[in-house]
Amino acid sequence: MEVRQRDDPDLNLPSFTSRPGVDPTSEGFWRAAGEGRLELQRCAGCASHRFPPAPICHVCGSDDSTWAALPGTGTIYTFTWVPDPGRRDESGSPAWANIVVVDLDGVSGRGVRMVSNLVDCHEPGSIRVGQSVTLECVHLEEGLGLPCFRSEP
Amino acid sequence: MSAASTPVQLRDRACIVGIGHTEYAKRGVFESVGSFELAVRAIRAACEDAGIDPRDIDGFTSFGGDESTPSEMQLALGSKNLRYASTPWGGGGSGLPTAVLNAVMAVACGVAENVAVVRSIVQGRRRLGGNVNRDEDEPPSRGFYYQAPFGFVVPMAIYALRTQRHMAKYGTTIDHLADVAIAARRYSAHNPDAVFRDMLTREQHHASRIVADPLRLFDCCMESDGAAAVIVTSAERASDMRARPVYVRAVSTRSPNRWHPVNYTEEEELFASSGHAAAAEDVFRAAGIGPTEIDVAEIYDGSTGGLIMATEDWGFCARGEGGDYFSDGQSALGGSTPINTHGGNLAEVYLQGITHLVEGVRQLRGTAVNQVDGAEVALYSSGLGYPPHGGILLRS
């Protein structure tokens, strides 16, 4: 899948982010996004997906898991808009950054909701609870990516 | 559930016998004084209230990463012995129930005699509501590992996401949020210690700037400086003290697996909540007292939305009806259970809940400025924040 560039002016990405923490447990999540996929750990013992990444399965206790791709669709569970003083329009007003919680499709087990951004929504009023969203990954550095979403299919 | 999981054996074993605090001020006013001096002054005031010589304080507990260290406080107060000192592991601003539980356990089992629970905050340089990422080139703290790369770095977003869901699920409105903030000012108008005492209108609330939609400036707890302390001792010793003892009837810090402030795997009905329903169940079971028997509740109000959710978690109203509880005046004097009779974090001062505990003691002594007639049972609850969180039930 196509991976968008971080400096693409069409994307609404907050300026106040941090780089991801990459360690043996989390690395697969960020690497998959760098290649345009949304992957979660799936337990080899009981087939439950889990998030956030963890070294053991919280359902059955198994050590064994594989990274498994999800369809990359989901539903907005909740959201917020935060002023982003690091990005201003011509009048000097701060841009609006969004932070969303996406209820992911295709998850086995107790369900997964992840924090992300809806990169094609720029203004308050353009996001609503229950709307469908689709994966839109954004390139970071060294093969890492951010699994973001867009509102258009 | 087994008895061991609800600490019935701690029921009424410890008392709060002293309360004290410094002057309260907007953030930065006491920066040059420093949080340590404020902590010492608050403890001394609480000792005076209790009629205890500060040299007889032999334990300290705190929470929220308080910068005042026990060994330094021992030196400053002249305390002859330091027998016990602890802060919770985790919990942040929700750590007061653990700090009180630690004090109660220490005096109940004879580890220490007189434990000061203290919290002191100055926010001139270090702002607790600011960006959690100190350095954007560094990986985030574990608590924001899968949040900070998406810009989820301001604590108020924790409240905003749950409040937005509460609005979508239950029909809570911006007017409800405004009415929570207005209710706080109605109490603080009579509180000479309060930082914000001016009345507030819905229009003023709606016109204030968005911090994290749907939360506006007046939905957020204030940034302020000050310190407060309470003295905990055993029920046996409390009977000889100057002030009428207030018994710690029950404490619980039970935090459920499927509720986390920023990692959202929780069940549907738990999401738009402060996560305190499990602690409430344990507190009520350990106390043998239910929500209808609580005369006054002092609940950590980091935001208007969070307070609405906590009000529901403790059973003061049905889930989804917390906004109406405030809009209909049920939180006011004469309402079904008055809430935050001092003005809370929204209007009195932000000291992460210890001033709520102080107010609960005042209510049970009958000395509050907004006194609930005949109050005999008071609740403290932490707010929407980091586990372990929970509640403290006090009785006169």
Side-chain angles (χ1 to χ4, degrees):
Chain A
M1 275 183 70
E2 186 196 356
V3 178
R4 304 287 290 265
Q5 291 304 308
R6 191 117 200 272
D7 57 1
D8 186 331
D10 292 338
L11 303 184
N12 186 6
L13 290 166
S15 66
F16 44 85
T17 60
S18 79
R19 61 188 305 174
V22 178
D23 57 37
T25 302
S26 70
E27 186 172 0
F29 180 72
W30 305 114
R31 291 229 172 270
E35 295 168 6
R37 298 187 308 279
L38 177 60
E39 291 189 357
L40 301 184
Q41 287 167 301
R42 188 170 201 190
C43 177
C46 72
S48 299
H49 288 95
R50 63 178 182 258
F51 187 79
I56 62 170
C57 176
H58 60 76
V59 176
C60 74
S62 169
D63 288 89
D64 295 331
S65 67
T66 54
W67 288 95
L70 293 181
T73 56
T75 307
I76 294 293
Y77 194 74
T78 188
F79 63 93
T80 185
W81 292 95
V82 181
D84 186 350
R87 295 181 296 148
R88 292 179 183 274
D89 64 19
E90 288 163 1
S91 70
S93 300
W96 287 100
N98 65 65
I99 303 163
V100 300
V101 175
V102 180
D103 207 351
L104 298 177
D105 292 341
V107 174
S108 61
R110 70 184 191 180
V112 169
R113 301 181 191 122
M114 65 170 281
V115 169
S116 190
N117 304 119
L118 215 44
V119 293
D120 63 340
C121 292
H122 295 264
E123 296 295 331
S126 61
I127 301 177
R128 59 185 168 74
V129 171
Q131 87 182 75
S132 298
V133 297
T134 304
L135 186 69
E136 179 84 285
C137 290
V138 177
H139 179 72
L140 290 174
E141 79 250 28
E142 296 163 1
L144 307 178
L146 277 180
C148 297
F149 290 82
R150 60 184 150 79
S151 61
E152 298 301 320
Chain B
M1 186 162 294
S2 70
S5 64
T6 53
V8 176
Q9 57 268 46
L10 290 175
R11 180 191 286 182
D12 296 337
R13 294 281 305 280
C15 294
I16 295 176
V17 293
I19 54 177
H21 62 85
T22 65
E23 192 181 333
Y24 305 143
K26 289 183 182 176
R27 101 177 165 86
V29 170
F30 293 142
E31 185 68 21
S32 61
V33 178
S35 66
F36 174 75
E37 179 169 333
L38 296 179
V40 170
R41 291 191 181 283
I43 293 171
R44 189 178 66 176
C47 287
E48 283 173 7
D49 178 65
I52 289 178
D53 189 324
R55 289 174 291 187
D56 293 327
I57 296 293
D58 61 354
F60 300 99
T61 71
S62 187
F63 62 100
D66 199 283
E67 294 169 356
S68 316
T69 53
S71 54
E72 302 310 306
M73 289 193 287
Q74 181 190 14
L75 282 176
L77 291 162
S79 305
K80 288 173 289 200
N81 300 292
L82 178 57
R83 292 192 171 93
Y84 183 73
S86 72
T87 67
W89 192 14
S94 297
L96 180 57
T98 305
V100 169
L101 179 62
N102 288 344
V104 166
M105 290 192 294
V107 300
C109 62
V111 167
E113 292 192 343
N114 303 307
V115 178
V117 183
V118 65
R119 184 75 177 102
S120 180
I121 294 178
V122 293
Q123 295 202 61
R125 282 193 298 267
R126 179 168 172 249
R127 299 175 68 173
L128 296 171
N131 190 327
V132 298
N133 273 338
R134 299 288 173 83
D135 182 349
E136 65 185 30
D137 291 327
E138 291 295 317
S141 66
R142 177 62 61 176
F144 283 85
Y145 222 57
Y146 299 97
Q147 292 75 24
F150 301 99
F152 186 167
V153 294
V154 286
M156 206 43 67
I158 296 173
Y159 297 112
L161 290 166
R162 288 182 193 271
T163 302
Q164 192 82 257
R165 181 73 191 177
H166 198 276
M167 294 169 80
K169 185 172 169 67
Y170 299 117
T172 300
T173 66
I174 300 298
D175 281 344
H176 284 127
L177 303 182
D179 290 345
V180 175
I182 291 166
R185 297 295 183 96
R186 287 194 172 130
Y187 280 128
S188 71
H190 305 287
N191 178 356
D193 295 325
V195 174
F196 294 136
R197 298 181 64 189
D198 294 338
M199 294 303 279
L200 184 71
T201 65
R202 279 186 177 180
E203 291 69 29
Q204 287 171 315
H205 169 274
H206 295 353
S208 66
R209 67 181 168 85
I210 298 264
V211 175
D213 175 68
L215 300 177
R216 290 162 169 76
L217 183 64
F218 288 132
D219 291 306
C220 305
C221 57
M222 72 175 78
E223 296 178 286
S224 55
D225 292 355
V230 305
I231 308 298
V232 175
T233 194
S234 67
E236 294 77 24
R237 278 188 300 276
S239 56
D240 298 329
M241 301 266 173
R242 176 185 295 167
R244 189 170 73 178
V246 166
Y247 288 81
V248 179
R249 179 74 173 181
V251 188
S252 173
T253 58
R254 178 180 162 202
S255 305
N257 175 266
R258 295 188 72 166
W259 190 94
H260 187 281
V262 298
N263 285 302
Y264 305 120
T265 55
E266 52 259 65
E267 292 164 16
E268 168 71 13
E269 72 272 19
L270 283 181
F271 185 89
S273 84
S274 72
H276 280 64
E281 184 182 44
D282 270 14
V283 163
F284 294 146
R285 190 186 288 122
I289 288 173
T292 59
E293 295 161 89
I294 294 173
D295 298 307
V296 58
E298 314 295 352
I299 303 175
Y300 182 115
D301 45 337
S303 71
T304 55
L307 182 54
I308 285 172
M309 291 179 242
T311 299
E312 297 170 3
D313 283 345
W314 285 95
F316 296 120
C317 60
R319 213 166 270 294
E321 295 177 5
D324 284 342
Y325 189 89
F326 286 86
S327 294
D328 294 347
Q330 298 303 318
S331 72
L333 289 181
S336 62
T337 305
I339 293 177
N340 289 357
T341 45
H342 54 328
N345 292 324
L346 294 169
E348 189 202 43
V349 67
Y350 176 77
L351 290 179
Q352 294 192 326
I354 194 154
T355 53
H356 298 60
L357 189 64
V358 166
E359 173 69 2
V361 172
R362 282 194 206 104
Q363 287 286 350
L364 299 188
R365 288 177 174 182
T367 59
V369 289
N370 298 301
Q371 182 63 44
V372 175
D373 288 340
E376 295 177 343
V377 179
L379 172 74
Y380 171 73
S381 170
S382 53
L384 202 174
Y386 277 78
H389 55 215
I392 304 162
L393 203 69
L394 305 174
R395 72 161 179 89
S396 58

